[in-house]
Structure formats: C-alpha cells, structure tokens
C-alpha cells in the first residue's frame, strides 16, 4: 500500500520539520504549532498542483490539432489504437522498471472507468468527429467538458453546488449547444453527437482518475489504465493497419507521437497529479482555457479560419464557468 501512496500524501510528509537524526517527524511532533508550517506548505502544494493542472491543459489543447495531423495519413481507428499502444509501452515500461505493485482490488473498477473514458472512449469519439468537424468547432463544443466534469464529480462525491453554480452552468451549456447547432446548419450533426458523447465518457474518466490519484501517483493511474486495455488496443491496431490506408508523413507521424506521449500519457500524468492536489472541481475549471488555446493552435498549425461565432462562444463559456468557480469559493 505504501508503494502506491499518492503524491499528496508524500507532500504532506515532506513539509514536516526534518529530524536531524533521520527518524522522520517523530522528534518534532508536538513541538511546532501546526500553523507555522502547515499553512505555507499547503499554499505551496496548491500552487504546485495548479501549475501541474495548467500543464495538463496545455498538453490537451494540442490534442485536436495533433489528431487532425495524424488523420492526414492514417485512418481514425489506426490513430486511436496506435496512440494507446505506444503510450502503453512507455507506461508499462515505467511500471516494470520501478517495480510498482498491482493496485488493490478495490481500485480496479475506477481504473477500468479511466481506461474506458480517457484511453478509449474520448480519443475514439473525438477522432471520428474530426473527420467531419473542424478543430475550432470541436474545441468550442468540448468547452462543456469542465461543466460536465464538475457535474459528474458532484454526483460521484455527493457535493451539492449552489443554485448560482447551476444557473451559470446551464447558461454555458446553452451557449455551446447553440453554437454547435448554428454551425451545423440548424441541427446537430454526426460530429456534434460524437463530441457530446465524448464529453460524458471523458468526464467520468477524469472524475475517477482524480479520485484514484489520491491513493496512487497520477502516472500510475493512467499507466495501469493503458496496460489494462493493451490486449484490446494491440488487436485493434493490427486490424486497423490491415484495413485502413496508411501514409507516413511528417504531419501524420508527428501528430501520432504527440497524441501518444503528450496527450495520452504525459498530459494525463500531470493532470491527475494536479487534480489530486487541488481537487477535481478546481482543476476542472482550469480547462476553461483549453478551447481558447485550441482555437489558437488551429489557426497557427492548421491554417483554419475561425467561424465568427467561435471566439465569442468560447469567451461566453469562459465567463459562465468563471461564475461557477467564484460561487464555489
């Protein structure tokens, strides 16, 4: 159990006054008032957790552009399966090198939810959606993810947000749905339906991953999730490579490598660690910047022209969730 203690628990030990004799914190127990060390240490922990979560958001903001690049030379199933296999090789290697013991039985259900949500569900649904949607359009629709994650966390943890929180959340949802319908010519398209489904499975994966990261380091959470579905992704990659066209270019290879190592592994490592430090609700609000960042990347990397309504919709969602963040204190 101690091998899988969370980063949060480690940080709590590290802030205690060290014992010159090397006996942990026993020599100083009861000698220092808790407020002299706990408050600055807690502030440092929160700041570090927020920074890690921000790094995760930055990594995720490149997911859609990376997917668009990969789709230039590969089919959607090839992209999804190969990104997971490559990430699992790295994660499995790290678990083996550090001789990490298997998680406790009670954690495997949560790991399965993480695997189904962020390893398979979200990548597959968004990749299929990007065959018909632009990255800028998809980025604004996925701007609902912080709201969805907060709602999923509220259900999972029993937290009851204020009425103001839910009003702002509903307004933000209405803005995003209105944008999606307007861009689809008056009715949600296939890409929008796939994106909305992706929101639900990803929110579940984020919530369970954030909860598990309080019991084991974040890299182990995503690592075990990747390893759990490795038999499925290996078989899926073999079938996809034999049935879908493959054209290796700088863009397609670069996009795939980023998806595997940046979005699928490293991004989730720092994201779950940040969630464990500052809480699921607070971390989810930091993702408000993700649609705006993705809109910028879609222009710089893909040469897309933004729909006039896209920046306004993204900013409106940002304002709505800023209200929810304030109401939650």
């Amino acid at each position: 159990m101690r091998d899988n203690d969370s980063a949060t628990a480690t940080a709590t030990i590290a802030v205690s006054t060290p014992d010159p004799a090397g006996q942990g914190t026993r020599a100083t127990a009861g000698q220092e008032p808790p407020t002299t060390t706990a408050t600055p240490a807690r502030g440092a922990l929160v700041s570090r957790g927020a920074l890690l979560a921000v790094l995760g958001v930055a990594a995720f903001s490149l997911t859609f552009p990376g997917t668009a690049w990969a789709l230039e030379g590969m089919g959607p199933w090839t992209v999804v399966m190969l990104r997971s296999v490559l990430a699992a090789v790295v994660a499995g290697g790290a678990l083996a090198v550090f001789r990490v013991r298997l998680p406790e039985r009670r954690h495997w259900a949560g790991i399965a939810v993480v695997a189904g949500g962020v390893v398979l569900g979200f990548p597959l649904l968004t990749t299929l959606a990007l065959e018909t949607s632009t990255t800028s359009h998809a980025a604004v629709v996925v701007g609902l993810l912080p709201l969805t994650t907060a709602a999923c966390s509220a259900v999972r943890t029993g937290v009851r947000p204020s009425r103001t929180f839910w009003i702002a959340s509903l307004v933000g949802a209405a803005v995003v749905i209105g944008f999606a319908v307007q861009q689809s010519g008056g009715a949600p398209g296939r890409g929008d339906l796939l994106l909305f489904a992706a929101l639900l499975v990803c929110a579940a994966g984020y919530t369970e991953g954030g909860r598990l990261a309080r019991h084991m380091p974040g890299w182990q959470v995503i690592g075990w999730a990747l390893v759990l579905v490795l038999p499925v992704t290996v078989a899926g990659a073999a079938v996809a490579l034999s049935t879908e066209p493959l054209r290796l270019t700088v863009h397609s290879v670069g996009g795939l490598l980023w998806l595997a190592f940046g979005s699928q592994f490293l991004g989730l490592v720092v994201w779950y660690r940040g969630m464990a430090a500052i809480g699921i609700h607070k971390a989810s609000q930091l993702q408000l910047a993700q649609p705006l960042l993705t809109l910028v990347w879609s222009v710089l990397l893909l040469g897309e022209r933004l729909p006039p309504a896209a920046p306004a919709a993204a900013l409106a969602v940002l304002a709505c969730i800023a209200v929810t963040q304030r109401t939650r204190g």
Side-chain angles (χ1 to χ4, degrees):
M1 178 68 181
R2 293 186 181 277
D3 291 343
N4 286 351
D5 282 345
S6 71
T8 307
T10 301
T12 303
I13 295 173
V15 300
S16 301
T17 305
D19 175 22
Q23 299 299 321
T25 61
R26 183 173 56 186
T28 60
Q31 296 179 11
E32 292 291 338
T35 55
T36 60
T37 57
T39 300
R42 176 60 183 167
L45 178 64
V46 170
S47 298
R48 184 164 61 250
L51 176 60
L52 290 171
V54 167
L55 291 175
V57 171
F60 299 153
S61 71
L62 281 162
T63 298
F64 285 172
T67 301
W69 273 8
L71 287 173
E72 290 181 10
M74 306 176 191
W77 290 91
T78 301
V79 171
V80 172
M81 296 301 166
L82 282 183
R83 66 180 277 183
S84 181
V85 169
L86 292 175
V89 170
V90 175
L95 292 169
V97 167
F98 291 103
R99 298 181 179 180
V100 178
R101 290 187 296 182
L102 287 172
E104 296 180 25
R105 183 179 299 178
R106 63 193 177 98
H107 294 320
W108 278 109
I111 291 173
V113 173
V114 173
V118 302
V119 175
L120 292 178
F122 186 79
L124 177 60
L125 292 168
T126 54
T127 300
L128 293 174
L130 285 174
E131 289 191 299
T132 56
S133 298
T134 64
T135 58
S136 57
H137 176 84
V140 176
V141 175
V142 174
L144 275 176
L145 184 56
L147 292 170
T148 312
T149 302
C152 185
S153 176
V155 172
R156 184 71 172 88
T157 63
V159 175
R160 295 183 180 276
S162 67
R163 181 179 300 178
T164 303
F165 176 90
W166 289 118
I167 291 174
S169 298
L170 291 173
V171 171
V175 170
V176 173
I177 293 173
F179 170 81
V181 171
Q182 187 268 332
Q183 293 296 312
S184 301
R190 173 177 174 270
D192 294 319
L193 297 178
L194 290 170
L195 289 170
F196 288 134
L199 294 177
L200 297 177
V201 298
C202 189
Y206 278 175
T207 300
E208 285 302 308
R211 185 185 64 81
L212 287 170
R214 295 184 177 276
H215 302 280
M216 65 183 76
W219 72 271
Q220 293 181 21
V221 174
I222 186 59
W224 286 118
L226 287 163
V227 170
L228 179 65
V229 296
L230 187 58
V232 175
T233 53
V234 168
V239 173
L241 286 170
S242 65
T243 57
E244 292 183 333
L246 179 66
R247 184 168 59 90
L248 299 181
T249 64
V250 173
H251 275 186
S252 63
V253 173
L256 178 65
L257 292 178
W258 174 257
L259 293 174
F261 304 124
S263 299
Q264 191 76 78
F265 185 64
L266 294 177
L268 286 168
V269 166
V270 296
W271 175 244
Y272 283 145
R273 189 178 178 91
M275 292 180 82
I278 66 176
I280 297 173
H281 285 85
K282 288 185 178 180
S284 70
Q285 303 310 309
L286 293 175
Q287 273 198 301
L288 295 174
Q290 185 174 325
L292 302 177
L293 289 173
T294 301
L295 291 175
V296 173
W297 294 130
S298 69
V299 174
L300 296 179
L301 299 178
L302 304 176
E304 291 186 2
R305 298 186 63 181
L306 297 183
L315 289 173
V317 171
L318 183 64
C320 290
I321 306 208
V323 174
T324 67
Q325 188 176 24
R326 171 171 291 187
T327 60
R328 297 190 64 82

